[in-house]
Amino acid sequence: MRKLASSVITTAIVAGGIVGGIAAPASAACAPDPGKGYKITNKSTVQKATNLHSNWVYDNIKSEIKYGENETAEVNASGTAGVEAEASAIFAKASTSFSVTVGGSWSKSSNWEYTLTPTNKAGKTKVRMTMFHESKKFKVRKYTYKYDANCKYKETTVWTKWMTAPVKKNSNVWGLEWK
């Protein structure tokens, strides 16, 4: 009987040691190291004006507006002031979110030839033809995260900004602008 009791106590001590050895690291390593991330929300597609446009004309003329130049069309992202160092990471996250590549700028050299007929717009007197480039508008939130002593996820907002970034593909449309 003594031999049986001795082996039960020894097994309990050994089992306790193994359980204790596993339990201690589990609470200390419940989560990865603290980090940061970006969340993209409020997504929409917009047309952003490029640098290509005709001269301003009065909107009551009855003839067409023409544009014909060998130029480089360009458009840049907006809303990146103060976060330039993080822009590439933000655009990568936005590209994944939209399933289309966006970036800080887009440009293309070509011989652009287009014609549009101007129309009147209430309260405006002048009109011009402008090339617009497809862009993605979104709200980006930078956050930091960590896990507390109880292994609970904690997230803190660092900043939130609206940004508009041009798509990298050649997606343009000519339209009218008034003033």
Side-chain angles (χ1 to χ4, degrees):
M1 184 70 170
R2 279 188 185 176
K3 195 173 192 180
L4 179 62
S6 172
S7 70
V8 170
I9 292 170
T10 305
T11 305
I13 292 171
V14 171
I18 292 172
V19 172
I22 293 171
S27 62
C30 63
D33 292 336
K36 68 177 180 182
Y38 304 97
K39 288 197 178 169
I40 307 297
T41 59
N42 300 79
K43 304 182 303 184
S44 64
T45 299
V46 296
Q47 299 297 324
K48 195 164 183 195
T50 68
N51 59 313
L52 300 187
H53 52 79
S54 68
N55 292 329
W56 289 103
V57 296
Y58 289 105
D59 66 356
N60 60 359
I61 66 168
K62 301 295 181 206
S63 63
E64 297 175 327
I65 301 173
K66 295 182 181 185
Y67 184 88
E69 296 284 333
N70 190 6
E71 289 286 336
T72 301
E74 300 174 330
V75 66
N76 295 309
S78 59
T80 59
V83 296
E84 294 85 358
E86 300 171 89
S88 62
I90 294 166
F91 294 143
K93 184 73 171 182
S95 294
T96 300
S97 182
F98 281 103
S99 298
V100 65
T101 305
V102 299
S105 64
W106 170 85
S107 67
K108 180 171 175 57
S109 295
S110 186
N111 185 32
W112 309 99
E113 304 248 356
Y114 291 90
T115 302
L116 289 175
T117 303
T119 57
N120 291 340
K121 189 168 191 174
K124 307 294 181 182
T125 58
K126 293 185 179 178
V127 64
R128 72 178 177 183
M129 184 171 56
T130 299
M131 177 200 259
F132 295 89
H133 182 74
E134 180 183 342
S135 299
K136 303 297 181 180
K137 184 176 181 179
F138 55 93
K139 190 182 227 179
V140 59
R141 180 175 70 91
K142 180 181 181 179
Y143 63 92
T144 58
Y145 66 87
K146 65 179 181 177
Y147 290 82
D148 68 12
N150 297 321
C151 296
K152 298 230 183 210
Y153 180 78
K154 300 288 183 182
E155 197 173 277
T156 305
T157 298
V158 178
W159 51 256
T160 303
K161 294 182 73 95
W162 280 97
M163 292 186 176
T164 304
V167 299
K168 290 294 187 175
K169 66 182 179 178
N170 191 26
S171 181
N172 310 305
V173 63
W174 286 85
L176 298 173
E177 278 187 298
W178 291 265
K179 75 173 183 173

